[in-house]
Amino acid sequence: MKFQYLLAAFFAAVVYAAPSNGGNNGEIVGNHDENDSSSSGECKPLLQSCNDNSDCCSDNCLAGFCLVGYNVKTMGSERLPLRQIGIYHNLPDFDSSLKGLTVIITGANGISGFHTMRALLAAPERWSKIYALSRRPPPEQMMGLLTPEQRSKVQHVACDFLESGDKIAQALKEANVTADYIFFYSYLQPKPPPGGAIWSNADELVKVNSALLSNFLDSLPQAGIKPTRFLLQTGAKNYGVHIGRIRTPSCESDPQPKDLQPNFYYPQEELLFKYCKDNGVGWNIIMPAWIIGATNNAQMNALHPFSVYAAVQAHKGEPLTFGGDWNAWQGLSFHSAARLTGFLSEWAVLEDKCKDQRFNAIDDSPFSWDRFFHELTRWFSVEKGVIPPPEDDSKYQEMTGRAGKETPLGYGPPTKIRASFTLSSWAKEEVNQKAWKELMSQSGGKLTHDPFEDIEANFSCGDAAWTTVMLCVNKARILGWTGFVDTMEAVFEMYSEMEQLGMVPAMKVDKPKPHV
Ligand SMILES: *[C@@H]1O[C@H](CO)[C@@H](O)[C@H](O)[C@H]1NC(C)=O
Ligand SMILES: *[C@@H]1O[C@H](CO)[C@@H](O)[C@H](O)[C@H]1NC(C)=O
Ligand SMILES: *[C@@H]1O[C@H](CO)[C@@H](O)[C@H](O)[C@H]1NC(C)=O
């Protein structure tokens, strides 16, 4: 029984990242048809093959590839000082002549869209206006995380992407929307048939999420909007991490396991490539791992349930028990702070050399459950401390995945996930639900959200969070991306902001301990 939940969660997990889709199999540079206006420039971007320095925009042809040089002809970020914004370090900046840009962010009320919006708002000269397109406006509480000046730059335009392109175009025209850049984060998650695991309805997901993008793309020419760059966010599911073994780390050029399971990322990519080719627009695809960021509705916010778990265990005077095994406890994985991914996305669309490229997006800050659980006890004053995983193998239930040719790796034994208990089963215990109600009443009206009302929606992603994701970000690094956040600090920031949203109980310390 418990195990069913874990299973559901495991498959769910993989959908992680909110939105989108991903891929150009293996080629570092995307659709460079000779007919493609986007690649008909006079010089070749970084990493393209070359014979001579003069072939390259960077004037530096080395070992047959265009590499970073000193005479860059584009207005890149490489010679500008880096920015430090709160816990986000060494962020690229751009020439001040790049200013007054307008942008459309779709799905700006979700975890990724909202935090990309915040990343852009950190450069107010550069971005003069943000059109937030979604059916409903971003919730008032979330907008409360912005300053009044930031809020004044955001205009919500109500659009339903399940409607026809004509209808969407009409809404865009009525609001006088213009867009130098577009970031697409819209995502719909139709409910699976009764009894089905979340995200088990892959075909339905494909249909609905392809329609969202397709209708929106149709509307753009009709509304007279032609961006310089269109960014689509997909996720680690691009690599089939939810299906079985994949290569580690995952690189952007890895093949997509299209034949193993339907995934709406792939048809979305086809739609994007066609639109960009037909209209002479550049594209970017961004693929985060587990996303971290404050939001009031994030079924994919895998670390959120651990705050609930820690606060309740502290309240009951009980320790934090870890439900995975020793491999999970000590293994390393990588997470993606949504705001850092937002900064990376801004960098990618503004750099000429990143045109028509896909990028993995992670904090590049190693994360282990051992260190996280010990920090959680400090943050929420869990006086009884941590109980590491059982050493006795009989205490675990085991879930076996696919093997051999049925996996993206194409060979090898099935993956095995072992759990001694799940958060979903823990959340079903009345004593824990009661403890949460007590925390709510003790908070004097500050803690308003009750995650126990929908256990599956609020906890199952946490059970899947032990699935390690190892994405390689060398490609962005080579092209000049320098941004960084300590994942532990990003989680602390998320909990602090979710405290303001009434979702997480007040923490007992002011600061996390970074991994230094
Ligand atoms: C460009 O497209 C046209 C029509 O599709 C085709 O006939 C032509 O060969 C293409 N040119 C190149 C250089 O690929
Ligand atoms: C759009 O522009 C027109 C013409 O300038 C103006 O009358 C109208 O108020 C604008 N609409 C919005 C929503 O800003
Ligand atoms: C948790 O469940 C509530 C109640 O059903 C729901 O409204 C909310 O969106 C869920 N929260 C998250 C983080 O998914």
Side-chain angles (χ1 to χ4, degrees):
M1 194 56 194
K2 290 177 185 172
F3 227 48
Q4 237 166 348
Y5 271 93
L6 182 60
L7 196 77
F10 180 62
F11 288 111
V14 198
V15 178
Y16 337 130
S20 345
N21 49 354
N24 68 328
N25 297 334
E27 272 180 295
I28 257 195
V29 171
N31 49 350
H32 48 270
D33 276 12
E34 285 161 50
N35 268 340
D36 177 5
S37 61
S38 65
S39 51
S40 60
E42 294 154 357
C43 59
K44 294 186 171 186
L46 294 193
L47 303 182
Q48 268 201 1
S49 59
C50 54
N51 297 316
D52 190 87
N53 283 350
S54 63
D55 290 348
C56 303
C57 301
S58 58
D59 269 349
N60 184 18
C61 179
L62 198 68
F65 289 98
C66 293
L67 296 179
V68 176
Y70 297 99
N71 282 321
V72 179
K73 287 172 188 159
T74 59
M75 274 204 315
S77 62
E78 45 278 299
R79 275 168 299 173
L80 292 165
L82 300 172
R83 292 178 291 163
Q84 312 297 327
I85 297 175
I87 61 173
Y88 302 90
H89 300 290
N90 306 331
L91 304 164
D93 205 351
F94 288 84
D95 196 275
S96 58
S97 62
L98 205 55
K99 62 176 185 213
L101 302 175
T102 59
V103 58
I104 289 175
I105 300 181
T106 83
N109 44 6
I111 187 167
S112 294
F114 182 73
H115 291 282
T116 293
M117 185 164 90
R118 290 175 85 184
L120 301 187
L121 287 168
E125 304 290 314
R126 185 144 62 235
W127 303 100
S128 62
K129 183 95 189 173
I130 296 179
Y131 294 98
L133 271 50
S134 49
R135 278 179 304 175
R136 282 181 299 258
E140 195 46 43
Q141 280 173 314
M142 277 168 73
M143 291 301 280
L145 298 172
L146 308 180
T147 65
E149 200 217 328
Q150 290 176 330
R151 290 183 67 150
S152 71
K153 296 198 164 234
V154 179
Q155 181 180 331
H156 174 249
V157 179
C159 280
D160 183 349
F161 291 170
L162 287 178
E163 294 198 318
S164 68
D166 299 2
K167 274 247 166 122
I168 300 168
Q170 199 184 331
L172 296 175
K173 281 193 279 193
E174 273 164 20
N176 300 331
V177 174
T178 62
D180 298 305
Y181 293 86
I182 297 181
F183 295 78
F184 189 87
Y185 300 101
S186 301
Y187 171 68
L188 266 184
Q189 196 185 292
K191 273 214 157 76
I198 338 180
W199 290 296
S200 60
N201 47 342
D203 291 324
E204 183 72 7
L205 277 163
V206 167
K207 215 169 96 195
V208 171
N209 288 293
S210 301
L212 293 180
L213 179 59
S214 169
N215 294 336
F216 177 56
L217 291 174
D218 282 351
S219 77
L220 294 175
Q222 296 183 56
I225 294 171
K226 184 184 161 186
T228 304
R229 200 72 68 80
F230 192 115
L231 178 142
L232 177 67
Q233 184 171 296
T234 65
K237 200 182 162 200
N238 173 69
Y239 300 106
V241 55
H242 55 309
I243 299 173
R245 278 180 203 282
I246 58 172
R247 294 196 82 176
T248 52
S250 297
C251 302
E252 289 88 346
S253 57
D254 287 348
Q256 297 170 318
K258 292 186 180 175
D259 49 334
L260 293 179
Q261 195 168 301
N263 178 343
F264 65 86
Y265 294 174
Y266 309 143
Q268 278 193 333
E269 286 187 356
E270 295 305 318
L271 289 164
L272 175 69
F273 296 152
K274 176 159 193 320
Y275 163 82
C276 287
K277 192 164 183 217
D278 291 350
N279 293 279
V281 170
W283 57 265
N284 285 108
I285 291 169
I286 303 294
M287 302 178 288
W290 290 111
I291 298 177
I292 296 166
T295 155
N296 71 337
N297 179 10
Q299 285 159 338
M300 285 169 280
N301 194 341
L303 295 184
H304 161 247
F306 292 92
S307 63
V308 176
Y309 178 55
V312 165
Q313 293 299 93
H315 183 75
K316 294 188 301 177
E318 289 177 18
L320 282 191
T321 303
F322 182 68
D325 65 7
W326 278 84
N327 286 339
W329 183 240
Q330 287 212 290
L332 289 184
S333 66
F334 292 90
H335 291 250
S336 307
R339 190 127 55 117
L340 189 73
T341 302
F343 285 117
L344 178 126
S345 301
E346 177 190 37
W347 167 81
V349 301
L350 293 178
E351 288 284 5
D352 279 352
K353 63 195 174 197
C354 295
K355 184 178 177 192
D356 298 349
Q357 299 286 334
R358 61 173 63 249
F359 293 101
N360 289 334
I362 53 169
D363 299 344
D364 223 354
S365 166
F367 174 96
S368 76
W369 291 97
D370 160 20
R371 287 193 184 269
F372 179 50
F373 264 48
H374 282 93
E375 264 299 87
L376 274 179
T377 62
R378 214 173 61 79
W379 297 354
F380 291 95
S381 285
V382 185
E383 278 161 17
K384 290 278 164 62
V386 161
I387 299 190
E391 291 182 35
D392 173 0
D393 283 348
S394 70
K395 295 280 194 307
Y396 296 104
Q397 283 187 283
E398 191 171 84
M399 189 188 80
T400 303
R402 296 194 198 181
K405 288 203 162 31
E406 297 294 301
T407 67
L409 185 61
Y411 62 91
T415 31
K416 290 190 175 158
I417 301 217
R418 301 197 304 166
S420 58
F421 79 101
T422 65
L423 282 181
S424 308
S425 55
W426 172 88
K428 289 208 186 105
E429 291 173 26
E430 219 165 278
V431 57
N432 298 323
Q433 303 182 357
K434 194 167 145 270
W436 185 261
K437 290 244 166 13
E438 284 162 15
L439 285 169
M440 284 176 80
S441 57
Q442 282 172 15
S443 75
K446 288 200 183 123
L447 186 61
T448 51
H449 178 265
D450 187 351
F452 294 89
E453 279 171 17
D454 187 346
I455 291 171
E456 188 140 348
N458 287 310
F459 290 94
S460 50
C461 219
D463 287 327
W466 311 322
T467 321
T468 56
V469 181
M470 303 256 194
L471 304 180
C472 190
V473 284
N474 291 9
K475 180 176 170 184
R477 297 279 185 232
I478 289 169
L479 290 173
W481 164 246
T482 45
F484 177 77
V485 67
D486 184 312
T487 294
M488 204 63 84
E489 294 194 301
V491 178
F492 190 87
E493 182 177 79
M494 165 173 91
Y495 287 170
S496 307
E497 291 183 349
M498 288 180 86
E499 183 185 324
Q500 294 179 51
L501 301 179
M503 298 174 75
V504 169
M507 291 185 285
K508 315 289 191 212
V509 297
D510 324 325
K511 273 197 188 106
K513 282 188 188 150
H515 277 3
V516 292

